[in-house]
Amino acid sequence: MTDNTPAELIARSNRLGADPRNTNYAGGNTSAKGIETDPVTGEDVELLWVKGSGGDLGTLKESGLAVLRLDRMRALVDVYPGLDREDEMVAAFDYCLHGKGGAAPSIDTAMHGLVDAKHVDHLHPDSGIAIATAADGEQLTATVFGGQVVWVPWRRPGFQLGLDIAQIKAENPDAIGCILGGHGITAWGDTSDEAEKNSLWIIETAAAYIEANSRPEPFGPALDGYAALPEAERRAKAAALVPTIRSIASQDKPMVGHFTDSDVVLDFLAAAEHPRLTALGTSCPDHFLRTKVKPLVLDLPADASVEDSIARLRELHVAYREDYQGYYDRNAVEGSPAIRGADPLIVLVPGVGMFSFGKDKQTARVAGEFYVNAINVMRGAEGLSTYAPIDEAEKFRIEYWALEEAKLQRMPAPKPLATRIALVTGAASGIGKAIAKKLAAQGAVVAIADLNLEKAQAAAAEIGGTDVAIGVQADVSDEDAVQAAVDATLLAFGGLDLVVNNAGLSLSKSLLDTTVADWDLQHNVMAKGSFLVSRTAAKVLIEQGLGGDIVYISSKNSVFAGPNNIAYSATKADQAHQVRLLAAELGGHGVRVNGINPDGVVQGSGIFSSGWGANRAAVYGVDEKDLGAFYAQRTLLKREVLPDHVANAVYALVGPDLTQTTGLHIPVDAGVAAAFLR
Ligand SMILES: NC(=O)c1ccc[n+]([C@@H]2O[C@H](COP(=O)([O-])OP(=O)(O)OC[C@H]3O[C@@H](n4cnc5c(N)ncnc54)[C@H](O)[C@@H]3O)[C@@H](O)[C@H]2O)c1
Ligand SMILES: [Zn+2]
């Protein structure tokens, strides 16, 4: 027989996962049981489809489901060795898979398989977790839901929790679900629609109860001086603090960041109870790897100066690391995974906002979303009662769970440029765009700065979503615009590591035809523009203390002398010497400065397509479309130079291989003897 059970399950999961009130990103799981024909025996076989490990309900597909034989999965009860060895059951799930089994079964598989209901949802809604983390959560559950929803005391997810919930369901035949202490909710139904309806009823009933019964100021009265700064002011302060905060979050390993100044965050930090509540830490099991147990909270008012804030953040960082090491030492047992670093993943700055960090932009953004979930949970719990998350030892048992460690160990190795934050100027077109693409393909996140915002955004969108690349508007010859572009990069990605001075244009005129305006334009965009970008970036790189790279896209013409190029070639020579000057000046900060000398890059180049190519083609008596091939014939290798070749050279300079090289220029010209460097 064919069955639409999995399709129904996917549709329900996608609907539930689409609304952030129902569950956090990648949190929770859903399942359905049904009958299919066993292709081996031709007999009916009862199966369990359950969301597998990883992935998000909102975008779940059938390939994300684990498919298990229910009879075998339930037979595990007879061999279950008891609580202290419950983790072994996860490996046993693999022996219950049907066919190829789909996605890997998650730790919550037992809850779905053992509960005697055809459809089961396990979710992490803020409203439900608010009740789950209230000090009197058990009484509240009875008050809010009557007997329809049952309290299940906290227990780390696993086989035993599955047995607990199955038993509670059996003992409470009228119940539609339960509140899992410190954790979330589980609901069930005979049909998919019924399970969904029951899940939503629990979530909405909890939310309505909180709304109607919460005390007016759950986070306490306003703290004098802690109200949000006006938007422009707080963004400027946030950008000024980014280099320090990035370095704090990256002492153990480099991190990418995300910044949020939503009202939820600012209101929380403006209220009197935020220091007590942040110290209590988060509760739902999903949180500990993403946000760590606690955030680092700056204990200064909104109008504290940037200098005072930096000094205090540095002190608090030392204290944070000691505190985290203490937490690890108090709770680690023989066989615990090694400490994973003691830097904060969430940094809160009153009046300004929240900085969250992760191994990539998406992870950093989701960590921030999780902390917003935590704030919502604390608001609900404090509004009704007192917020009482699970205790420290249990938090540690989640964060350093052997099963989680095994998952981390199985993760593919990061790409060579992972965690590196790049800014490429003039990257809406030609060589710059190819460089941005290459850097992103190797794992970097990239800000594409160009004169034309729409073109910059379109180039970014070609590379990926805003977790990978963003477009920003900037005229590199304008000091304020350069600062704004660097600030936008800092706020988008939480730091800066790698700058490519690529913006440029070529007028190609003889000495007598070159006007002062021509001269100024060429020099303003290239010599002055790269000076401004390098200076603004270097300030960040020095403050961050994580080294960095500055690359100049200079030109063969920086060393080659030919006619009709006075302004362009002179400013290219200026850029080339900036490489050497800055390599000398910034080496002490671990910042490497190198350059590329391309030549004859016709394809994709706006410089060529905007008339200059046609002009050159006419001079040489070739078709414009053959100009690249014509230039190739003038080279030693007889090869055409493409934007990707220049991008590859940039990657060679900033990737893992040339770490001891600074002050170098690499020709990418297919061999032009007159431009050999010596
Ligand atoms: N194409 C070649 O053969 C060649 C050879 C050697 C060096 N170069 C250099 O490579 C770089 C890129 O050239 P391309 O061929 O890709 O040209 P391109 O015209 O395709 O790209 C240059 C980009 O720089 C941007 N830009 C111009 N002025 C700017 C400003 N003031 N602020 C911000 N952005 C600005 C433009 O909008 C454009 O998107 C230039 O520095 C150029 O001199 C090119
Ligand atoms: Zn859960």
Side-chain angles (χ1 to χ4, degrees), residues 279-340:
L280 285 173
T282 55
S283 188
C284 180
D286 276 358
H287 280 239
F288 304 107
L289 285 171
R290 298 263 195 186
T291 65
K292 280 224 168 90
V293 181
K294 297 177 200 176
L296 184 155
V297 192
L298 179 62
D299 52 0
L300 294 178
D303 65 356
S305 69
V306 168
E307 293 67 34
D308 289 351
S309 302
I310 287 174
R312 184 64 184 144
L313 282 164
R314 294 261 174 228
E315 287 170 8
L316 289 168
H317 182 216
V318 173
Y320 186 96
R321 289 178 61 87
E322 278 168 17
D323 183 62
Y324 188 83
Q325 183 71 53
Y327 154 80
Y328 180 86
D329 293 342
R330 276 192 302 282
N331 293 292
V333 293
E334 214 188 303
S336 287
I339 190 166
R340 291 193 198 104

Side-chain angles (χ1 to χ4, degrees), residues 138-164:
E138 184 167 4
Q139 294 91 301
L140 271 173
T141 301
T143 313
V144 177
F145 305 104
Q148 291 206 75
V149 177
V150 189
W151 174 260
V152 181
W154 161 259
R155 185 188 288 291
R156 188 171 73 172
F159 204 82
Q160 188 61 49
L161 183 64
L163 289 171
D164 292 357

